[in-house]
Amino acid sequence: MSYTLYELNEYIRRVLALNMRDAVWINCEIATIKLSGGHYYMELVEKEDDKIIAQANAVLWKKQHKKLVTKLGFELPGLLKSGIQILAKVRVHFHEKFGLKLHIEDLDAAYTLGQMELKRRDIIARLKREGLLTRNAEKELPAVVQRVAVISSEQAAGWKDFEQHLTHNPENYVVKIELFPARMQGEFQESDILSQLDVIEKRKRSFDIVVIIRGGGSRLDLSGFDSYLLGKRIAKFALPVLTGIGHETDETVSDLTAHSSLKTPTAVAEKILSSFRTFDNTLNIFQNRIYHYIQNTLQTKEYQINTIENRFEYNINQYLSKEEQMLDFVQSQLTQLASNRLDQAEQQLAHFEHICHILSPEFALKRGFSITLKDGQPIDDSKRLQTGDEIETQWQHGTVKSRIV
């Protein structure tokens, strides 16, 4: 006996309809998901050692989606992403033409969060074993952060808040900011951020730090930051990495491996500005110290100069006084010496005058001597006279002229 395909499928449908009247809860992973006409079409899988051991098509109808929005609110978008582990209440439907399809009626957000937390803890433990949790934190931040590479979505409110806070700071500090756009949620989040980190590292000399920011969201929205590859890349990055992804409670893996984790993008901007303020305060402190040091040094040197000046003036006065006394002494001595010398000279002159007087012709004439002259010149040798020469003989009283015969 044989059946047509339609008959077989109809039989399967009736068997399933009779035996699976109620919806059931299943845990699985969303492998792919796409939105069309308000309906979410998914491929659900179950893995064992990263190998798929089961898979099925599923759909979340638009009407049912609206009900889940009312129930789960902002948590729902975080559940409807590929790679997310979910606990879903499904009703099994089998159609002769379209085959098996699971209709999703409900989702348990707590289950997904629990699975994510377990995965997060495993990743953190692995990074800790590899010594990566504090590796980026060991890098030294510059004293003043002036060049910032930012990874964020261009449309993110967090990015706009960050930029506004830095560029319109009251002190007019200048910070160079360059945005490297990336999707901050969804299946391409991890690859986008990793790709931009690669781009920045090639230009690492152009930046002081890297900042990863987004504008907040639910815990499920932030699940992309609980990535082993992203955490490892941040830990080993060449520059300090700061995160501000907008959550107040739990820290993501990216937060834990970053140099510094702050709650909001604005808080990151404020930390950057604080480096300027700290540097300014340090400069002011050093300026005051230098000023006081110079003042104290000048006062000390002024005192020393005054002391030296006073000593110099005293010494000069003492020296001048001594020299003045010496001059007075020398002057008095010179006067006495000059007087003595003059007396001696006068005595010598008188003596010389006496000698000259004794030796003078007049004195000789007084003693009875005479002087014989020829042509007015004394004759001291007779050989100078010739016969017929006229000579003159002088005595003290009178003269006689004679002729040589």
Side-chain angles (χ1 to χ4, degrees):
M1 184 177 178
S2 62
Y3 297 93
T4 65
L5 177 59
Y6 177 83
E7 289 172 338
L8 177 61
N9 284 351
E10 183 185 31
Y11 175 74
I12 293 173
R13 178 180 63 77
R14 283 189 280 111
V15 170
L16 286 174
L18 288 172
N19 291 278
M20 299 194 71
R21 296 174 181 270
D22 301 322
V24 296
W25 288 92
I26 62 168
N27 58 68
C28 56
E29 179 185 321
I30 300 176
T32 61
I33 182 169
K34 65 179 181 178
L35 177 64
S36 178
H39 312 301
Y40 288 85
Y41 296 93
M42 309 172 215
E43 183 181 65
L44 305 179
V45 297
E46 182 180 352
K47 294 179 180 180
E48 187 176 280
D49 298 329
D50 291 331
K51 293 182 179 179
I52 296 175
I53 60 173
Q55 66 184 65
N57 293 324
V59 61
L60 175 60
W61 300 113
K62 182 178 180 180
K63 182 178 180 181
Q64 194 62 33
H65 178 264
K66 290 181 178 179
K67 292 180 180 179
L68 289 179
V69 169
T70 303
K71 175 184 176 182
L72 299 176
F74 62 84
E75 296 286 3
L76 182 59
L79 294 172
L80 300 178
K81 296 191 297 185
S82 60
I84 293 295
Q85 195 78 17
I86 61 171
L87 179 63
K89 186 178 182 181
V90 299
R91 191 175 296 276
V92 181
H93 281 264
F94 188 87
H95 191 275
E96 292 85 347
K97 181 179 179 181
F98 301 108
L100 180 70
K101 189 180 293 292
L102 305 179
H103 293 190
I104 297 176
E105 296 184 353
D106 199 358
L107 292 170
D108 186 348
Y111 171 82
T112 300
L113 288 172
Q115 292 298 310
M116 289 171 56
E117 181 59 25
L118 290 175
K119 180 181 178 181
R120 172 181 172 275
R121 291 180 181 180
D122 288 342
I123 292 173
I124 292 172
R126 180 179 176 183
L127 290 169
K128 186 175 183 180
R129 288 195 303 270
E130 295 172 358
L132 296 176
L133 281 182
T134 59
R135 184 163 175 174
N136 194 263
E138 292 169 0
K139 297 185 180 299
E140 185 175 358
L141 281 175
V144 180
V145 178
Q146 297 176 285
R147 305 169 302 167
V148 182
V150 181
I151 299 177
S152 183
S153 169
E154 290 181 286
Q155 290 76 35
W159 153 244
K160 294 176 182 177
D161 292 341
F162 176 84
E163 183 184 32
Q164 180 79 7
H165 198 80
L166 278 185
T167 55
H168 294 84
N169 64 84
E171 296 91 348
N172 293 321
Y173 295 134
V174 178
V175 183
K176 178 187 174 184
I177 311 169
E178 185 172 345
L179 176 66
F180 294 81
R183 284 165 284 194
M184 303 307 284
Q185 64 183 39
E187 60 180 312
F188 298 106
Q189 174 186 352
E190 180 184 79
S191 60
D192 277 8
I193 297 176
L194 289 173
S195 176
Q196 293 293 33
L197 285 172
D198 290 339
V199 172
I200 294 169
E201 190 157 42
K202 291 177 182 177
R203 297 175 50 199
K204 61 185 179 182
R205 296 185 181 275
S206 301
F207 303 102
D208 297 323
I209 63 169
V210 177
V211 171
I212 301 175
I213 54 175
R214 60 162 289 159
S218 69
R219 185 68 185 84
L220 289 169
D221 289 334
L222 304 177
S223 61
F225 293 100
D226 284 325
S227 158
Y228 170 76
L229 292 178
L230 184 55
K232 181 179 179 180
R233 188 74 178 88
I234 290 173
K236 292 185 174 183
F237 200 72
L239 298 173
V241 179
L242 278 65
T243 58
I245 53 182
H247 57 93
E248 296 293 334
T249 53
D250 297 330
E251 289 184 303
T252 65
V253 171
S254 298
D255 291 323
L256 291 172
T257 56
H259 181 282
S260 301
S261 167
L262 295 108
K263 299 301 182 184
T264 63
T266 302
V268 179
E270 188 58 30
K271 182 176 178 64
I272 292 171
L273 292 177
S274 70
S275 71
F276 283 86
R277 297 188 185 104
T278 301
F279 189 73
D280 271 355
N281 291 335
T282 303
L283 284 181
N284 289 333
I285 290 171
F286 278 115
Q287 182 180 359
N288 290 332
R289 287 179 180 175
I290 292 171
Y291 174 79
H292 290 303
Y293 174 78
I294 291 174
Q295 289 295 105
N296 292 335
T297 302
L298 288 175
Q299 290 175 359
T300 302
K301 294 301 179 183
E302 185 177 3
Y303 173 77
Q304 291 175 347
I305 290 171
N306 290 335
T307 301
I308 293 171
E309 183 180 357
N310 292 334
R311 288 179 180 175
F312 182 76
E313 184 177 359
Y314 174 78
N315 290 335
I316 288 293
N317 290 334
Q318 290 292 102
Y319 177 78
L320 290 175
S321 177
K322 289 180 180 179
E323 292 300 316
E324 187 176 357
Q325 292 174 6
M326 181 59 70
L327 284 174
D328 291 341
F329 174 76
V330 170
Q331 184 178 3
S332 64
Q333 292 297 314
L334 282 176
T335 302
Q336 184 64 38
L337 289 172
S339 177
N340 294 339
R341 185 61 179 163
L342 285 173
D343 290 342
Q344 291 176 1
E346 286 179 356
Q347 292 174 6
Q348 287 179 348
L349 182 60
H351 179 68
F352 290 149
E353 285 179 351
H354 179 67
I355 292 174
C356 289
H357 175 70
I358 293 172
L359 296 177
S360 66
E362 291 81 4
F363 188 79
L365 292 174
K366 284 181 179 181
R367 292 171 58 195
F369 291 95
S370 64
I371 300 174
T372 301
L373 303 172
K374 177 187 177 184
D375 299 328
Q377 297 296 324
I379 300 299
D380 57 359
D381 189 355
S382 61
K383 293 179 180 180
R384 292 176 55 188
L385 299 174
Q386 295 179 4
T387 303
D389 289 340
E390 187 176 303
I391 60 174
E392 182 180 350
T393 303
Q394 291 183 356
W395 287 272
Q396 183 180 12
H397 302 287
T399 62
V400 173
K401 291 184 179 181
S402 304
R403 188 176 298 276
I404 302 300
V405 292

